[in-house]
Amino acid sequence: MASAETKREERRRKILQNSEDRMRKLLGQTGKDTEKALNIPPESELSLNKSKTTITSDSEQNDINQALKSSINNTAADVLSESKKDSTIFNSPSFKDEIDKTVVKDKKTLGTGIEHPVTQKTDQLNKDDIQRMLDVMRLGLVVLLAVVVRWILSFGFGIIFLQSMFVPFIITEIVFYAFHHMNNQEIILRPKGSLLSGALVLCGIKPELIATYNQIMGYMNAIVEDFATYLFAFLICNIFMGREVK
Amino acid sequence: MFLMLFILLIVIVLVALPNYSNYLSNVLCKRLFKLSDGELDLRAQVKDLKCEQASISMADEFARYMKLQRKIDKCLQEIKTEGDPRQQNVAYVKLGVKIAIYVLHGITMLSLVLMYRSTPLLMLPPEWFSPFNKIVAIPTGEPGGIGIGCWIVVCNTVVYRAIRLSPLLNR
């Protein structure tokens, strides 16, 4: 009976200890603040709290108090020693990143584990802004390139040894989308229609495969749009620069 | 060159036309389906009853207020009964206008392509369009020429992209 109670008490202590350790990690507290943060009551209080525990014998109470105190001291000592020995670990960027991620995640979840809808909406708005900025940048780049290429071709010069308007376009697209793929992977380019992907989902195709398909179609759609815009800008420039072969 | 600009203008008009389908159908319905005298009388009656009801305090003259309310409800029911066939016809006209716009769009594009299928809109040095000579020359097939099919597709893509990017032109 007593051993079951001690085990219960030990388990309770461990659970509390874990939650306190997590809080300390989040708040970045070291060993000196440990005892304050833990709000450890003095020994007399612990021994007097008989009504809160089911332990009856004094010796067992003392044992538990000793065990508690020693484990807490050990933890504090461990933290202190770790902080002294491996202060670089706590100062390392990867550790800080991890804490930042945990703090950010906890902020988002507000400690409930469920992501707050307001933060989800904010993330979506930010992604939409980035998507829009990307669209405008693509458009600007393509139009500027068309104007420059048309101007160079009007002098009879070629670009990369060829008098072709599409070679600079192909190179620019490869560079742009390679950069986008490496750095902005979370920003998925919009595919034209979702009917086919919806049909594929119903046919039981794997979601990862459909995501890859959507990504590829997004890129293809973007490239075709850029091609059309480039050709349009080139021909409109041609109208103003006035060159026609009869 | 002028043909290219003309095609661009047609594409812009046909892309923007569905946005005005409601306005066009309302104008058409006002001409085709006029309100009958009976319905007009009922509407005037409802208006008068509502004015009278607004001048009465509900707390002081509850019975009279409710009597007027019952009269209003009865008139509104009659208006609804008389107006249902007309509303149905208005809905058919709106649907017809939308379909007509899309049919017009298709017929216009098809006829332009058939008329200018062998004539390039613009001729440029063939080496400028390599390696996509054949794509750009659709459906003429002449190297260095801009085909009407390619130009229509390009115009459509550009116009839809402009609509998507512009907050003012968003539907």
Side-chain angles (χ1 to χ4, degrees):
Chain A
M1 185 69 177
S3 63
E5 281 159 4
T6 44
K7 277 183 187 171
R8 201 185 302 133
E9 194 59 37
E10 190 68 25
R11 211 181 312 130
R12 198 176 122 244
R13 187 191 60 76
K14 267 187 188 170
I15 290 164
L16 289 171
Q17 191 72 33
N18 283 341
S19 66
E20 281 153 2
D21 281 342
R22 272 204 299 276
M23 259 336 270
R24 263 187 285 123
K25 221 189 219 181
L26 284 172
L27 299 172
Q29 285 173 349
T30 57
K32 282 187 182 175
D33 300 328
T34 307
E35 288 186 2
K36 271 189 193 171
L38 290 176
N39 289 327
I40 298 162
E43 204 180 38
S44 56
E45 275 192 40
L46 272 173
S47 60
L48 286 171
N49 281 341
K50 278 185 184 175
S51 58
K52 292 183 184 175
T53 64
T54 54
I55 295 159
T56 52
S57 74
D58 282 342
S59 60
E60 281 171 351
Q61 178 72 52
N62 283 333
D63 287 340
I64 288 159
N65 289 343
Q66 285 293 330
L68 265 171
K69 212 178 170 188
S70 62
S71 64
I72 288 162
N73 285 335
N74 283 341
T75 316
D78 284 342
V79 169
L80 269 170
S81 61
E82 276 179 16
S83 66
K84 277 177 190 170
K85 275 183 197 173
D86 296 324
S87 58
T88 49
I89 293 172
F90 290 94
N91 290 330
S92 71
S94 59
F95 184 75
K96 281 183 181 170
D97 284 344
E98 221 179 284
I99 286 181
D100 285 341
K101 275 181 198 170
T102 323
V103 168
V104 165
K105 195 182 169 189
D106 270 7
K107 271 186 188 168
K108 278 189 186 179
T109 60
L110 302 172
T112 58
I114 304 160
E115 210 166 298
H116 205 262
V118 173
T119 52
Q120 275 180 338
K121 210 177 172 182
T122 318
D123 284 348
Q124 190 59 40
L125 284 169
N126 287 339
K127 275 188 184 171
D128 285 345
D129 286 340
I130 293 171
Q131 183 96 35
R132 198 178 170 78
M133 210 171 68
L134 203 72
D135 281 346
V136 171
M137 219 165 72
R138 264 172 51 214
L139 180 69
L141 182 71
V142 152
V143 169
L144 192 66
L145 183 70
V147 170
V148 165
V149 165
R150 180 60 190 87
W151 185 66
I152 291 172
L153 287 173
S154 63
F155 293 114
F157 297 128
I159 298 144
I160 313 171
F161 310 111
L162 287 168
Q163 267 204 338
S164 167
M165 61 179 274
F166 291 118
V167 168
F169 171 76
I170 291 167
I171 293 168
T172 311
E173 289 290 281
I174 289 170
V175 167
F176 184 83
Y177 288 109
F179 178 80
H180 174 270
H181 186 70
M182 283 191 296
N183 295 315
N184 288 334
Q185 279 215 6
E186 68 271 13
I187 307 294
I188 297 169
L189 295 164
R190 276 182 286 254
K192 211 152 194 182
S194 59
L195 222 69
L196 186 58
S197 54
L200 289 171
V201 166
L202 290 170
C203 291
I205 308 285
K206 285 181 190 169
E208 297 89 24
L209 212 62
I210 291 169
T212 313
Y213 166 78
N214 280 336
Q215 202 175 18
I216 293 169
M217 290 311 290
Y219 278 120
M220 277 185 64
N221 187 39
I223 290 168
V224 166
E225 269 186 0
D226 288 347
F227 178 84
T229 313
Y230 180 73
L231 187 59
F232 181 83
F234 185 88
L235 294 172
I236 296 293
C237 284
N238 185 70
I239 288 169
F240 290 110
M241 288 182 189
R243 165 87 188 254
E244 190 174 346
V245 173
K246 300 276 179 187
Chain B
M1 185 183 84
F2 293 109
L3 188 58
M4 285 173 73
L5 293 170
F6 176 68
I7 289 169
L8 175 64
L9 208 64
I10 288 177
V11 166
I12 290 169
V13 164
L14 290 173
V15 164
L17 208 53
N19 292 337
Y20 296 98
S21 66
N22 277 337
Y23 172 76
L24 287 169
S25 50
N26 285 339
V27 163
L28 209 63
C29 289
K30 275 179 188 169
R31 300 273 169 143
L32 291 173
F33 310 114
K34 291 190 179 167
L35 290 168
S36 62
D37 290 337
E39 207 176 327
L40 283 167
D41 284 339
L42 280 168
R43 282 173 190 256
Q45 212 174 340
V46 165
K47 199 176 166 185
D48 293 336
L49 285 167
K50 281 192 172 174
C51 284
E52 199 183 332
Q53 198 185 41
S55 63
I56 298 167
S57 165
M58 192 178 171
D60 294 340
E61 292 177 84
F62 182 75
R64 197 175 155 206
Y65 188 94
M66 285 315 293
K67 195 176 173 185
L68 286 169
Q69 185 63 43
R70 280 193 294 272
K71 279 184 186 175
I72 290 167
D73 290 341
K74 191 182 167 192
C75 291
L76 286 172
Q77 190 62 38
E78 280 176 31
I79 290 169
K80 192 171 177 294
T81 315
E82 276 194 44
D84 266 350
R86 192 174 50 80
Q87 291 292 339
Q88 211 171 16
N89 292 333
V90 164
Y92 287 143
V93 165
K94 281 188 175 173
L95 185 65
V97 164
K98 273 191 180 159
I99 292 170
I101 287 171
Y102 288 119
V103 167
L104 178 71
H105 192 158
I107 290 172
T108 311
M109 292 296 127
L110 208 61
S111 51
L112 280 171
V113 168
L114 287 171
M115 274 165 59
Y116 296 99
R117 64 180 181 279
S118 52
T119 316
L121 299 175
L122 193 68
M123 286 299 292
L124 290 170
E127 57 271 15
W128 284 13
F129 296 127
S130 61
F132 299 115
N133 265 317
K134 288 189 178 174
I135 294 171
V136 171
I138 285 172
T140 60
E142 281 192 40
I146 310 289
I148 190 165
C150 175
W151 181 241
I152 286 172
V153 168
V154 162
C155 290
N156 264 315
T157 311
V158 167
V159 167
Y160 278 114
R161 193 175 187 181
I163 288 169
R164 208 181 68 227
L165 286 176
S166 163
L168 296 170
L169 299 173
N170 271 339
R171 293 179 197 184

